[in-house]
Amino acid sequence: MPDYKKKKHKRKTLHKSKKDFANDSFEITVKSKREADIPKTPRVIKGNKELKGMRFKVFLSFLVIMALILSVSLLIFPVGIAETFNNFVLSVGSGEYPVEISGSRVLNVSTLDNYYYVLSDLNVYAVSNSGKQINSFSHGFANPVLKVSKTRALIYDQGQKTYCVYTLKKAIISETLKFDIICADVSDSGKYAIATQSDSYSSTVSVYDKKGTVVFTWNCAKDLINSVTLSPNGKHLAVSTVNAINGELSSKVYILDISKTDAKNTFDYADKTVYSLDSNRKGIYVVSAGGYSFIRWSNGSKNDEETKLDIEFFRESSKGALIVENRTTDRSDNTVILLKNDGQKYGSFDFDGNISDIRQSGSHIYIISDGFVYIYNTKGELISRLKCDHDIRYLVPNGSRNVSLVSDNAINSIVTR
């Protein structure tokens, strides 16, 4: 048989170059453990810093809003929402005239927006303009003096030690002091000031908050305090003093910030006696023997009006104030002066007759004289004249048509036109 030789075939081995590996569709990449943990795209991790900042801004805004609400509430409701609401509700409603008054004599009438107070020698009455007797309180004082604000009434026993503070609903403060009371005042904020005698000084005035706690005291070493008034917000106090110098009476007026000890301003009324102080939100009316002044709370600027006549009446009103000047020898020859809220004079007219009481309501001035009610406009023109009883001592304008007439034993109402 033929001998066949097995042909050897050379096996061909393919070797890839680095370039071939680069072009291969399948690639194995070997990574270290540290490289595998590192992401290709960096990831930004946000903490809660932004959230905390937002929460702080929201909280700060909440505090600001609450502060604004509180500020507005204190302006609208200085003695509190509940008390203001109760006063409003009690003053709403109608009643019937006449309203009987206990006692032998009416001492004072103080008017407000929609109700008024009548002080007799036995009681104090709160009556709405429509004739509703809101309340009455027995004070039991020998020499009662009434001071009112838009929110509260204060009655003190002049020359004695006792005083009371009232809302329309009830007496909320009743105190007996250590020394005799000289004068007092109450503000819309509920704060009130009382000047008394003192064992260490000539006289002392203390300011109390609406709860009856002393928040400010001012001592007068040499002079006697004879009048005090508080600003409506209760932040400022005006005090007048009197002293005898070389046989003549002389007065000073001090303007004080109750958050500080020293007086902001001092005004010397040399050779004059200051009779009374009354205030509004802009400043103080000062009535003296030689005329009247107006002093601003803000900067202490002062306007003076001198007169040789006697000032018989001073009445505050919604427009400002009324002043009646006449001669001691002839009380029937009167000059009625109209003042704005800043003390500026804006009108005057003459009136012949003895004046028992005078009030202003809007653009009308009401006068009681010799058994008649006279109604004038601010230009001094007579609008109406109505007959009334001769025993009428005070009047209260009740809107555009009615006037309440107060005698020593009753309150009646008449229609003016």
Side-chain angles (χ1 to χ4, degrees):
M1 290 185 64
D3 186 12
Y4 293 95
K5 292 182 180 181
K6 190 176 179 179
K7 188 178 182 180
K8 294 182 179 180
H9 297 279
K10 189 177 181 180
R11 184 177 292 179
K12 189 176 182 180
T13 306
L14 296 177
H15 296 281
K16 291 186 177 183
S17 65
K18 292 182 179 180
K19 183 176 181 180
D20 293 331
F21 276 103
N23 295 330
D24 203 325
S25 60
F26 178 77
E27 180 180 357
I28 298 175
T29 304
V30 180
K31 300 180 180 179
S32 67
K33 186 176 180 181
R34 180 174 294 179
E35 291 175 341
D37 292 338
I38 299 175
K40 294 181 180 180
T41 304
R43 185 179 62 180
V44 179
I45 300 175
K46 296 183 179 180
N48 59 357
K49 183 177 181 180
E50 185 175 342
L51 180 61
K52 287 182 179 179
M54 182 64 68
R55 287 176 179 175
F56 177 75
K57 290 179 180 179
V58 171
F59 178 71
L60 186 61
S61 300
F62 174 77
L63 291 180
V64 172
I65 293 172
M66 291 302 297
L68 290 174
I69 293 174
L70 180 60
S71 300
V72 173
S73 299
L74 290 175
L75 289 174
I76 302 176
F77 312 109
V79 293
I81 297 176
E83 185 176 323
T84 304
F85 179 76
N86 285 334
N87 284 345
F88 172 76
V89 170
L90 289 171
S91 65
V92 172
S94 60
E96 293 183 359
Y97 288 100
V99 177
E100 294 185 358
I101 297 175
S102 299
S104 60
R105 189 183 181 196
V106 170
L107 304 174
N108 192 15
V109 172
S110 295
T111 61
L112 296 164
D113 292 336
N114 59 338
Y115 62 95
Y116 55 95
Y117 287 96
V118 177
L119 175 68
S120 76
D121 54 358
L122 290 182
N123 295 338
V124 57
Y125 298 86
V127 184
S128 72
N129 289 348
S130 60
K132 174 186 176 182
Q133 184 174 324
I134 300 170
N135 219 328
S136 64
F137 308 97
S138 177
H139 53 72
F141 295 159
N143 298 298
V145 178
L146 173 68
K147 291 289 184 177
V148 303
S149 70
K150 292 182 180 180
T151 55
R152 294 179 176 180
L154 183 149
I155 304 173
Y156 63 94
D157 200 356
Q158 192 171 47
Q160 302 297 320
K161 300 177 176 64
T162 306
Y163 72 91
C164 294
V165 178
Y166 296 90
T167 66
L168 284 180
K169 187 176 182 180
K170 61 182 180 179
I172 57 173
I173 300 172
S174 180
E175 295 289 343
T176 299
L177 302 176
K178 185 178 179 181
F179 300 100
D180 293 341
I181 299 173
I182 303 170
C183 54
D185 190 38
V186 61
S187 70
D188 295 344
S189 68
K191 292 178 183 176
Y192 57 95
I194 298 180
T196 65
Q197 303 283 353
S198 174
D199 57 353
S200 303
Y201 301 90
S202 176
S203 51
T204 297
V205 59
S206 296
V207 177
Y208 300 76
D209 65 15
K210 62 183 180 181
K211 295 182 180 180
T213 302
V214 176
V215 294
F216 176 80
T217 299
W218 186 76
N219 301 308
C220 194
K222 297 180 180 180
D223 302 340
L224 181 68
I225 296 171
N226 69 330
S227 186
V228 296
T229 187
L230 280 165
S231 61
N233 61 14
K235 294 182 179 180
H236 295 90
L237 172 71
V239 179
S240 67
T241 63
V242 63
N243 199 353
I245 300 176
N246 298 325
E248 295 184 356
L249 293 177
S250 181
S251 291
K252 290 184 179 181
V253 173
Y254 300 88
I255 312 299
L256 302 115
D257 183 333
I258 68 169
S259 64
K260 301 176 182 178
T261 55
D262 297 329
K264 288 176 58 179
N265 303 99
T266 302
F267 301 92
D268 193 353
Y269 285 75
D271 303 328
K272 295 180 182 178
T273 303
V274 172
Y275 295 139
S276 65
L277 301 176
D278 293 273
S279 64
N280 57 31
R281 63 182 181 85
K282 291 188 176 181
I284 311 108
Y285 296 101
V286 182
V287 177
S288 66
Y292 56 91
S293 307
F294 188 83
I295 304 171
R296 288 185 175 271
W297 292 117
S298 58
N299 56 15
S301 62
K302 178 169 167 279
N303 298 326
D304 292 310
E305 289 291 337
E306 295 185 357
T307 178
K308 294 181 180 180
L309 302 175
D310 296 332
I311 296 179
E312 185 174 4
F313 288 96
F314 175 88
R315 294 277 190 266
E316 285 194 270
S317 70
S318 59
K319 297 285 186 179
L322 289 172
I323 287 179
V324 176
E325 296 179 340
N326 53 34
R327 294 179 177 83
T328 306
T329 56
D330 187 4
R331 295 297 187 190
S332 64
D333 184 11
N334 302 281
T335 299
V336 179
I337 300 171
L338 311 178
L339 302 178
K340 296 180 181 180
N341 281 321
D342 59 359
Q344 297 295 321
K345 178 180 175 180
Y346 71 95
S348 66
F349 61 91
D350 295 331
F351 179 83
D352 294 329
N354 293 310
I355 298 176
S356 300
D357 193 18
I358 183 170
R359 309 276 173 171
Q360 182 175 5
S361 177
S363 59
H364 292 147
I365 293 93
Y366 300 78
I367 298 173
I368 296 178
S369 176
D370 301 324
F372 287 91
V373 176
Y374 296 87
I375 304 173
Y376 287 83
N377 61 22
T378 54
K379 296 179 180 180
E381 299 170 340
L382 180 63
I383 303 299
S384 180
R385 189 183 80 153
L386 304 168
K387 188 171 180 58
C388 67
D389 294 336
H390 282 270
D391 62 349
I392 300 301
R393 295 172 53 80
Y394 298 92
L395 62 80
V396 179
N398 296 331
S400 60
R401 293 182 57 85
N402 297 332
V403 175
S404 295
L405 303 176
V406 183
S407 67
D408 285 328
N409 50 41
I411 307 171
N412 287 281
S413 180
I414 62 171
V415 178
T416 60
R417 55 187 181 278

